[in-house]
């Protein structure tokens, strides 16, 4: 193997990825990719003399952030698994990863790893492996050194609790055998020494696994969690343990949580990365200078405009997340000066924009969202298990009408599993079911889809041209075998949490009722919906349809993770619809082996087309991320895909403006 060529191919790939990210949003916006872990031989790291540090701005200060939904756990294992929602991830301190994405370009840079770029997966006997060198100066927040044994402990714990869900199956995929079929994954994780870890796969892992999954997978401290793993035979027991104050790899420790009121993180005095300088260029290059040390360069030769130049803190002495009843109350707290920043994965509601724009002490920023809202069907049961039924419902949903008329331009209609802001990966040619048809045409097409599939009514719905409405509505709808279509529930967040989805659910109710499909919209608490639709075992059969949203990673492996049958949420995965398509699963396996960005994109386009045809999800819309913060604080950057909220408020690098 030509080692030099291999190293530079990896460096070039990461630089290309950073440029793709930078192109993933409109002019003036930078895009953000997925966290990824990879390592390359240490001699690929460029070193230069460190320049003059930018002057730190502001003194220590208490950073106050508003949230409007409660976190669900203080246990990081549970947060990576079943309790994986945005509010929980906002407040929990940073974990350790081999590699991480550097904002605002999302260049993949070393975190625990010592090498400038991820090493390649290489042939190793009958298998394949990657060997990662680790830094010798990184510590947990309690001062304990982070080393290869922590990585091994994490893997061994995942292996012990075979069946972990959430992010675990993708981040730490386990090689094995299911129904006589060998599954692609990790065979072993070994500590060659304290600063070298070797990961062995049973297949030639591609980008989707290394570095974009295992490379950015969470690593847990053995000295804290080891005794608790030993004491708990089940992961449910481990998840019941409190993680408040547990050692982490970030700038803050979690110190106080009063459910229904607030969460508080306190600065780590001996944070190993405090005082480091980051200079980020718009071509994706990053100059990283350790406090008092030399400068290392990641992501290629620096060039173009400097888009961020800052000293890592923390400057904030603590961060308090105050819980408010809804977005309106949180915005009022922001305008009244009770908090510095509002964390909001939904973006600012149109009705509140004028309020913040008129407040002279607030700054407002707008970025493209790397996420979407969607309607999901439970394909495990009738009639949602029928493609024709799902297509008929999808056909009736007029996304353009909803986005431009009903929601007043606050939403952008979407069809692809990849939001348009992530433009390299998004398929601009993908169309929605019945796109471009009039209301009458949508009704007739949806009705014909049901007729062709063998559905019948006791009262057949008809389009009344004189009234431009469905008169009469359908009644007594039955499936091809005569089974009556049962009453169904559509779960959606209520108007206090997200009026866009609440409104959408009411229109879906009307459109489906016109066809004789007995659907009733049920506005429900966000966390209540999450708990129900991610129920495991028989609980996965209890819901019918729901409307939720996803915040996504720049490397869009979610296109497969959300729909791979081996990721069924009944078994703890992310495939809430229970979608099962062998052709799709085969594409997922091929995607896991893809070695180039172009090959991976072709497979994502192919998967996206299958999903658009079979609609386990109806992708509904995306929105701009509109954020406001008080001029008493300063962020190191504000132009970034998915906004500052995607970085949990940039707690370690936000400074006081006073």
């Amino acid at each position: 193997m030509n080692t030099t060529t291999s190293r530079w191919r990896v460096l070039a790939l990461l630089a290309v990825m950073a440029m793709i990210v930078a192109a993933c949003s409109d002019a003036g916006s930078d895009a953000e990719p997925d966290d990824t872990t990879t390592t390359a031989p240490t001699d690929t790291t460029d070193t230069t003399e460190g320049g003059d540090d930018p002057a730190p701005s502001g003194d220590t200060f208490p950073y106050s952030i508003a949230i409007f939904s409660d976190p669900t756990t203080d246990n990081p294992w549970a947060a990576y698994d079943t309790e994986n929602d945005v509010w929980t991830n906002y407040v929990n301190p940073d974990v350790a990863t081999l590699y991480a994405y550097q904002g605002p370009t999302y260049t993949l840079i070393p975190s625990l790893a010592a090498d400038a770029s991820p090493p390649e997966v290489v042939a190793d006997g009958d298998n394949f492996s990657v060997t990662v060198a680790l830094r010798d100066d990184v510590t947990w927040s309690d001062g304990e050194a982070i080393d290869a044994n922590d990585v091994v402990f994490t893997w061994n714990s995942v292996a012990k609790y075979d069946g972990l869900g959430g992010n675990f199956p993708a981040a730490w995929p386990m090689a094995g055998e299911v129904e006589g079929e060998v599954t692609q994954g990790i065979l072993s994780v070994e500590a060659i020494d304290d600063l070298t870890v070797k990961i062995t796969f049973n297949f030639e892992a591609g980008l989707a696994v290394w570095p974009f999954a295992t490379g950015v997978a969470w690593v847990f401290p053995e000295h804290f969690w080891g005794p608790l793993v030993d004491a708990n035979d089940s992961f449910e027991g481990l998840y019941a343990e409190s993680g408040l104050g547990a050692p982490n790899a970030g700038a803050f420790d979690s110190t106080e949580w009063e459910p229904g009121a607030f969460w508080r993180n306190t600065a780590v005095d001996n944070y190993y990365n405090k005082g480091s300088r980051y200079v980020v260029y718009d071509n994706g290059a990053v100059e990283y200078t350790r406090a008092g040390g030399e400068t290392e360069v990641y992501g290629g030769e620096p060039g173009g405009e400097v888009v961020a130049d800052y000293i890592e803190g923390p400057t904030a002495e603590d961060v308090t997340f105050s819980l408010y009843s809804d977005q309106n109350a949180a915005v009022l707290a922001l305008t009244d000066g009770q908090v510095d920043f509002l964390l909001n994965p939904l973006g600012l509601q149109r009705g509140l924009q004028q309020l913040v724009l008129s407040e002279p002490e607030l700054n407002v920023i707008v970025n493209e969202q790397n996420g979407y809202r969607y309607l999901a069907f439970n394909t495990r049961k009738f009639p949602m298990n029928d493609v024709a039924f799902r297509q008929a419902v999808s056909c009736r949903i007029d996304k353009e009408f909803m986005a431009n008329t009903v929601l007043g331009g606050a939403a952008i209609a979407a069809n692809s599993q990849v939001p348009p802001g992530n433009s390299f990966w998004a398929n601009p040619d993908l169309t929605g079911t019945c796109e471009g048809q009039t209301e009458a045409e949508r009704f007739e097409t949806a009705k014909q889809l049901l007729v062709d599939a063998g559905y019948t009514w006791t009262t057949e719905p008809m389009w009344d041209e004189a009234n431009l409405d469905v008169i009469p509505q359908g009644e007594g709808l039955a499936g091809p075998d005569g089974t009556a279509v049962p009453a169904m529930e559509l779960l959606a967040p209520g108007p206090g949490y997200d009026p866009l989805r609440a409104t959408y659910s009411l229109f879906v109710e009307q459109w489906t009722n016109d066809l004789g499909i007995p659907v009733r919209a049920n506005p429900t608490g966000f966390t209540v919906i999450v708990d129900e639709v991610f129920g495991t075992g028989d609980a996965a059969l209890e819901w019918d349809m729901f409307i939720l949203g996803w915040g996504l990673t720049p490397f869009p492996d979610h296109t497969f993770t959300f729909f791979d049958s081996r990721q069924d949420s009944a078994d703890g995965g992310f495939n809430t619809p229970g979608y099962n398509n062998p052709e799709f699963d085969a594409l997922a396996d091929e995607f896991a082996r893809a070695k180039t960005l172009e090959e991976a994109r072709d497979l994502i386009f192919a998967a996206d087309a299958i999903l658009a045809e079979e609609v386990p999800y109806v992708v509904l819309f995306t929105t701009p991320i509109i954020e406001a913060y008080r001029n008493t604080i300063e962020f190191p950057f504000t132009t970034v895909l998915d906004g500052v909220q995607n970085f949990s408020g940039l707690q370690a690098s936000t400074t006081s403006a006073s």
Side-chain angles (χ1 to χ4, degrees):
M1 176 181 177
N2 186 325
T3 306
T4 304
T5 302
S6 171
R7 294 170 187 168
W8 283 107
R9 186 162 66 245
V10 173
L11 285 170
L13 177 62
L14 297 180
V16 169
M17 190 66 192
M19 288 187 283
I20 288 169
V21 168
C24 284
S25 51
D26 292 337
S29 292
D30 297 319
E32 79 187 51
D34 234 339
D35 295 50
T36 303
T37 302
T38 26
T39 331
T42 53
D43 61 1
T44 63
T45 300
D46 298 322
T47 60
T48 59
E49 292 297 320
D52 295 333
D53 288 346
S57 57
D59 300 320
T60 59
F61 69 104
Y63 186 10
S64 181
I65 297 177
I67 55 177
F68 54 92
S69 187
D70 225 357
T72 57
T73 184
D74 61 15
N75 183 300
W77 294 83
Y80 206 50
D81 192 339
T82 53
E83 301 298 328
N84 180 55
D85 70 63
V86 65
W87 304 100
T88 299
N89 287 325
Y90 278 152
V91 302
N92 272 278
D94 290 340
V95 294
T97 57
L98 294 172
Y99 284 82
Y101 283 103
Q102 172 63 43
T105 58
Y106 291 93
T107 303
L108 188 67
I109 70 170
S111 183
L112 299 181
D115 300 327
S117 67
E120 286 194 343
V121 173
V122 297
D124 188 352
D126 294 333
N127 300 302
F128 298 85
S129 66
V130 61
T131 302
V132 185
L134 304 183
R135 290 174 56 168
D136 62 2
D137 62 343
V138 292
T139 62
W140 298 107
S141 57
D142 62 358
E144 186 84 10
I146 305 176
D147 62 25
N149 299 297
D150 293 305
V151 184
V152 174
F153 160 74
T154 300
W155 163 253
N156 287 340
S157 300
V158 173
K160 171 181 177 177
Y161 299 124
D162 185 15
L164 296 185
N167 289 287
F168 284 109
W172 294 103
M174 193 171 298
E177 188 172 314
V178 178
E179 297 179 353
E181 181 179 342
V182 175
T183 58
Q184 298 178 158
I186 296 172
L187 288 169
S188 65
V189 178
E190 308 165 74
I192 304 302
D193 54 45
D194 284 350
L195 296 178
T196 312
V197 63
K198 178 181 178 182
I199 304 170
T200 302
F201 305 90
N202 68 344
F203 75 110
E204 189 173 7
L207 297 176
V209 177
W210 180 264
F212 291 109
T214 305
V216 293
W218 287 13
V219 173
F220 296 87
E222 180 181 21
H223 69 285
F224 181 88
W225 290 105
L228 296 174
V229 169
D230 291 342
N232 287 281
D233 292 332
S234 70
F235 67 82
E236 291 91 351
L238 177 66
Y239 292 179
E241 303 281 358
S242 174
L244 205 64
N248 65 85
F252 293 88
D253 279 326
S254 58
T255 51
E256 194 174 3
W257 179 29
E258 186 175 321
F262 68 90
W263 177 298
R264 181 170 292 117
N265 292 333
T266 302
V268 174
D269 291 335
N270 60 340
Y271 174 43
Y272 74 88
N273 206 33
K274 186 173 183 177
S276 297
R277 180 183 180 182
Y278 292 89
V279 182
V280 186
Y281 295 82
D282 63 4
N283 71 343
V286 178
E287 292 175 342
Y288 168 69
T289 307
R290 304 181 193 184
E294 294 182 321
T295 296
E296 299 174 351
V297 179
Y298 311 129
E301 188 70 23
E305 180 185 354
V306 172
V307 292
D309 184 352
Y310 66 94
I311 301 295
E312 180 81 346
T315 303
E317 59 201 40
D318 57 46
V319 182
T320 300
F321 301 85
S322 298
L323 178 65
Y324 294 89
S325 58
D326 55 32
Q327 188 173 156
N328 291 277
V331 169
L332 184 60
L334 180 67
T335 57
D336 285 349
Q338 298 175 32
V339 295
D340 302 306
F341 180 55
L342 165 61
L343 278 172
N344 184 4
L346 312 179
L348 198 62
Q349 295 173 19
R350 183 60 61 92
L352 298 172
Q353 291 177 26
Q354 194 58 44
L355 177 61
V356 300
L357 288 171
S358 64
E359 173 54 59
E361 295 185 354
L362 293 182
N363 297 314
V364 179
I365 52 179
V366 182
N367 287 286
E368 288 194 86
Q369 184 183 53
N370 189 27
Y372 61 74
R373 270 76 138 202
Y374 64 97
L375 182 151
F377 299 95
N378 194 335
T379 68
R380 304 174 186 89
K381 58 183 184 178
F382 175 78
M384 283 80 66
N385 60 355
D386 185 348
V387 172
F389 175 86
R390 301 196 301 266
Q391 289 174 337
V393 173
S394 178
C395 180
R396 285 293 284 146
I397 298 174
D398 190 337
K399 301 176 189 178
E400 296 291 344
F401 168 72
M402 289 298 299
N404 299 327
T405 302
V406 177
L407 303 181
I412 303 165
N415 298 311
S416 172
Q417 290 291 327
V418 184
N422 199 355
S423 58
F424 178 81
W425 302 99
N427 185 349
D429 300 323
L430 206 61
T431 58
T433 315
C434 301
E435 185 170 319
Q437 293 187 8
T438 65
E439 172 72 3
E441 291 169 340
R442 284 180 178 275
F443 168 76
E444 295 294 354
T445 303
K447 177 182 172 182
Q448 194 61 47
L449 283 165
L450 294 174
V451 170
D452 291 346
Y455 288 79
T456 58
W457 295 262
T458 55
T459 299
E460 184 177 345
M462 302 295 292
W463 179 260
D464 188 318
E465 189 62 39
N467 291 287
L468 299 177
D469 200 358
V470 178
I471 303 175
Q473 286 187 327
E475 293 182 5
L477 182 64
D481 64 355
T483 301
V485 173
M488 288 173 283
E489 181 182 51
L490 171 58
L491 299 170
Y497 182 85
D498 185 2
L500 303 185
R501 280 179 284 187
T503 301
Y504 227 113
S505 69
L506 298 177
F507 275 81
V508 173
E509 176 187 279
Q510 178 63 45
W511 282 325
T512 52
N513 287 181
D514 284 346
L515 285 171
I517 302 171
V519 172
R520 290 292 175 266
N522 181 9
T524 309
F526 168 77
T527 55
V528 174
I529 299 173
V530 171
D531 286 345
E532 182 162 350
V533 303
F534 278 93
T536 57
D538 292 341
L541 292 170
E542 293 180 3
W543 60 272
D544 301 311
M545 292 180 261
F546 69 83
I547 297 177
L548 279 179
W550 282 113
L552 306 168
T553 53
F555 184 74
D557 51 353
H558 69 271
T559 307
F560 291 97
T561 304
F562 291 171
F563 305 101
D564 190 322
S565 67
R566 295 155 293 191
Q567 280 275 353
D568 196 312
S569 62
D571 300 320
F574 282 120
N575 179 0
T576 51
Y579 178 67
N580 191 330
N581 180 339
E583 178 189 358
F584 187 89
D585 289 353
L587 277 181
D589 288 341
E590 194 174 347
F591 178 71
R593 298 189 296 269
K595 289 291 189 179
T596 68
L597 296 173
E598 290 73 19
E599 183 184 358
R601 180 173 60 178
D602 288 345
L603 291 165
I604 285 173
F605 275 31
D608 214 351
I610 291 174
L611 297 170
E613 176 70 19
E614 299 208 337
V615 284
Y617 279 5
V618 182
V619 178
L620 299 174
F621 64 93
T622 185
T623 60
I625 291 290
I626 303 172
E627 301 174 294
Y629 63 99
R630 298 195 68 79
N631 57 20
T632 53
I633 62 171
E634 291 182 351
F635 294 129
F637 53 84
T638 55
T639 301
V640 58
L641 181 65
D642 237 14
V644 174
Q645 66 84 28
N646 197 43
F647 294 85
S648 303
L650 291 163
Q651 298 166 47
S653 51
T654 295
T655 57
S656 171
S658 58

